[in-house]
Amino acid sequence: MSHCEVCGQKHNIGFVATRLAGTDGVSLEAAKWADVFEKNGGNCYYFAGMLDRPEDRSYLAEKAYFRHPEIRDIYENSFGVCKRERHLTKKIYEFTEKLKDELYRFIEKFDIELLVPENSLTIPLNIPLGIAITEVISETGMPAIAHHHDFFWERKHFLTNAVWEYLNMAFPPHLPSIHHVVINSSAANQLSLRTGISSTTIPNVMDFENPPPAVDDYASDVRHSLGLEKDELLILQPTRVVKRKGIEHAIEIVHRLGQKARLIISHASGDEGYDYEERVKEYSRLLKVDTVFASGIIKEYRGYTKKGKKIYSLEDVYPHADLVTYPSNFEGFGNAFLEAIYFKKPIVVNNYSIYSFDIQPKGFEVIEIDGYVSEEAVRQVREVIENPQRRQAMVEKNYEIAKRFFSYRVLQQKLKHLVSDGIACNPQEC
């Protein structure tokens, strides 16, 4: 069991979020951070409104969940309007106090020494939770590492609102005991320009020191379960069905490829409605592309549906892909990009801004599009599919680059300094 290199003790670290469950980017990255903390002298505990973490280390606070009916009511009456009713202000205060009580109980129950708010101080889906975290940190002087995946000013629908004073106070707060962590350089620049807050940039990571295991018996029939024939290409779109993912580009690539292929979309529409999903279905019909919405059998964990059909994890599906498409218009970083590199798959990437700033300069060899599908991009796709030697050289090169820049080792080095600085432990005190 690992202990802190400085004081030789175990430190209790508390993650705080609206949700720590499933395969959303925040939950996945929080799990990676927790893994690194645990291996370097930390005991990790979890506070959220939805949890799938170990029960003996979890504190479920239902009002922390952004879909809680009362929290949702606050959200809907705070955004898209320019003033708020007095009763809404009272409701925000009421739920802030309730969540503060829950946070204090969480800290006391698990003897928390360091808080890690996960995106709960950046995206105001739960305004009372953000205020509660801010006030608890201010009242206790509790050290915190605030992990910011994206900011409210990056999303248009947050900019018309009646809660500017709360956004300025708590999304994010400017407090001396908080270390702010962002996942890309653009976020660091904007945070500094808008708030005067300095930050540390820690990109999303994968465990590149430990390659993925070989396909086991359970996952050996993935292609069959997805309805693919033996000579059919599996083109994987490993994302939710939301507008910014640019799935039309993936459909066009499959259409123009002119080969027997099926586009597999791994995740459902989620929080942003189903209009775009209908658009994707319609576009697939227009271009005569066989598009499979596979979220019914691709989940966080293996299992079986009510009808006895196998459920696979995304990690079960990746090894069977012939190509990964990631034509997003905007991403905070790009988990799917790293996953494709981790599973050694060729990938098509739209040149979204964070990719061009923080990922492309590292030297990855991928198939790029720049807002539209060019004939050159289609030619490159054909080449990597038809030329095994070319494909293997590409994915091996990419894996080594990612191992250098986006591995757990990089995360461990950066977190170690933040933790030791935040907790300020030393041998004399321990």
Side-chain angles (χ1 to χ4, degrees):
M1 184 179 291
S2 298
H3 293 75
C4 175
E5 292 181 2
V6 178
C7 69
Q9 303 296 310
K10 299 282 283 185
H11 295 302
N12 294 339
I13 298 167
F15 286 81
V16 181
T18 65
R19 170 181 62 189
L20 289 170
T23 57
D24 63 281
V26 173
S27 297
L28 291 174
E29 290 306 304
K32 295 171 188 176
W33 275 40
D35 188 23
V36 170
F37 280 137
E38 293 275 351
K39 290 175 180 175
N40 291 274
N43 292 315
C44 293
Y45 301 92
Y46 308 93
F47 177 104
M50 177 179 282
L51 286 160
D52 62 5
R53 295 335 193 222
E55 189 173 345
D56 62 338
R57 291 180 172 232
S58 296
Y59 188 107
L60 180 66
E62 293 182 357
K63 294 178 181 64
Y65 189 34
F66 66 93
R67 286 184 178 171
H68 184 282
E70 298 290 349
I71 298 301
R72 190 68 188 173
D73 180 68
I74 291 172
Y75 169 79
E76 289 176 350
N77 286 283
S78 297
F79 295 96
V81 296
C82 295
K83 67 176 183 177
R84 66 176 183 270
E85 300 294 331
R86 185 178 180 187
H87 72 85
L88 184 64
T89 303
K90 293 173 69 175
K91 191 172 185 177
I92 291 171
Y93 288 151
E94 174 190 350
F95 279 84
T96 295
E97 286 302 314
K98 289 178 179 179
L99 283 163
K100 279 177 68 177
D101 290 342
E102 299 268 34
L103 281 165
Y104 273 111
R105 284 193 283 269
F106 170 66
I107 291 168
E108 182 179 357
K109 179 178 180 179
F110 296 116
D111 192 22
I112 300 300
E113 301 170 73
L114 174 73
L115 285 176
V116 183
E118 285 283 348
N119 231 37
S120 44
L121 295 176
T122 50
I123 296 298
L125 292 174
N126 189 330
I127 294 170
L129 179 62
I131 299 172
I133 297 168
T134 299
E135 291 187 349
V136 166
I137 293 171
S138 186
E139 291 166 2
T140 62
M142 173 78 67
I145 301 174
H147 191 189
H148 308 315
H149 298 255
D150 43 13
F151 292 97
F152 77 84
W153 55 73
E154 297 171 347
R155 301 190 185 183
K156 184 178 179 180
H157 58 273
F158 287 127
L159 299 182
T160 300
N161 69 77
V163 287
W164 275 112
E165 75 271 39
Y166 300 137
L167 299 184
N168 291 330
M169 166 196 176
F171 294 93
H174 198 340
L175 295 173
S177 65
I178 299 179
H179 287 283
H180 296 266
V181 171
V182 297
I183 64 174
N184 62 67
S185 58
S186 178
N189 292 336
Q190 286 298 310
L191 179 62
S192 178
L193 285 170
R194 291 170 181 268
T195 69
I197 295 174
S198 60
S199 62
T200 300
T201 301
I202 302 180
N204 292 356
V205 298
M206 295 286 291
D207 190 7
F208 286 100
E209 282 84 11
N210 295 293
V215 176
D216 60 14
D217 289 341
Y218 183 93
S220 62
D221 59 351
V222 163
R223 290 176 57 89
H224 175 75
S225 295
L226 291 171
L228 277 85
E229 298 179 12
K230 289 184 177 180
D231 60 345
E232 195 168 15
L233 297 172
L234 194 167
I235 312 298
L236 179 63
Q237 172 77 28
T239 68
R240 293 182 297 136
V241 186
V242 294
K243 184 178 177 181
R244 65 184 173 85
K245 301 297 182 181
I247 298 174
E248 293 93 340
H249 297 313
I251 295 168
E252 184 179 349
I253 287 168
V254 176
H255 170 72
R256 293 175 62 176
L257 192 57
Q259 299 186 28
K260 193 174 181 180
R262 191 168 299 203
L263 179 65
I264 306 298
I265 304 177
S266 61
H267 291 63
S269 298
D271 306 333
E272 300 184 29
Y274 297 93
D275 290 346
Y276 181 67
E277 181 175 321
E278 291 304 313
R279 154 71 175 159
V280 169
K281 290 177 179 177
E282 179 185 11
Y283 198 62
S284 296
R285 287 192 294 270
L286 285 172
L287 295 190
K288 296 181 173 57
V289 170
D290 194 351
T291 300
V292 177
F293 296 81
S295 62
I297 62 168
I298 301 177
K299 305 287 187 182
E300 302 95 84
Y301 308 106
R302 292 175 172 181
Y304 291 88
T305 67
K306 292 180 180 179
K307 294 184 178 180
K309 194 171 184 179
K310 270 187 181 180
I311 294 173
Y312 303 92
S313 68
L314 189 56
E315 290 74 19
D316 291 330
V317 179
Y318 264 111
H320 297 274
D322 296 290
L323 178 77
V324 172
T325 53
Y326 196 49
S328 294
N329 300 311
F330 172 81
E331 292 289 344
F333 185 78
N335 267 351
F337 179 90
L338 292 185
E339 290 166 0
I341 301 301
Y342 183 67
F343 286 95
K344 296 185 177 180
K345 298 298 173 180
I347 182 171
V348 178
V349 184
N350 193 16
N351 194 15
Y352 62 92
S353 59
I354 302 306
Y355 168 79
S356 64
F357 293 151
D358 291 354
I359 300 175
Q360 185 189 52
K362 302 295 189 291
F364 289 102
E365 190 172 350
V366 303
I367 300 159
E368 290 184 10
I369 62 174
D370 197 3
Y372 66 96
V373 178
S374 65
E375 183 55 41
E376 173 60 18
V378 176
R379 185 197 67 76
Q380 290 181 42
V381 170
R382 290 197 191 101
E383 181 183 2
V384 298
I385 287 175
E386 296 170 359
N387 187 331
Q389 291 78 22
R390 171 82 177 86
R391 181 171 64 250
Q392 191 64 26
M394 172 188 285
V395 299
E396 292 293 346
K397 173 185 176 181
N398 289 341
Y399 192 95
E400 290 305 312
I401 293 172
K403 185 176 180 180
R404 179 182 175 190
F405 291 105
F406 302 112
S407 68
Y408 274 28
R409 184 178 66 250
V410 173
L411 176 60
Q412 177 181 333
Q413 290 170 346
K414 295 201 172 190
L415 284 183
K416 183 166 65 174
H417 296 300
L418 290 174
V419 171
S420 61
D421 189 34
I423 297 177
C425 58
N426 60 63
Q428 288 73 35
E429 291 181 355
C430 298

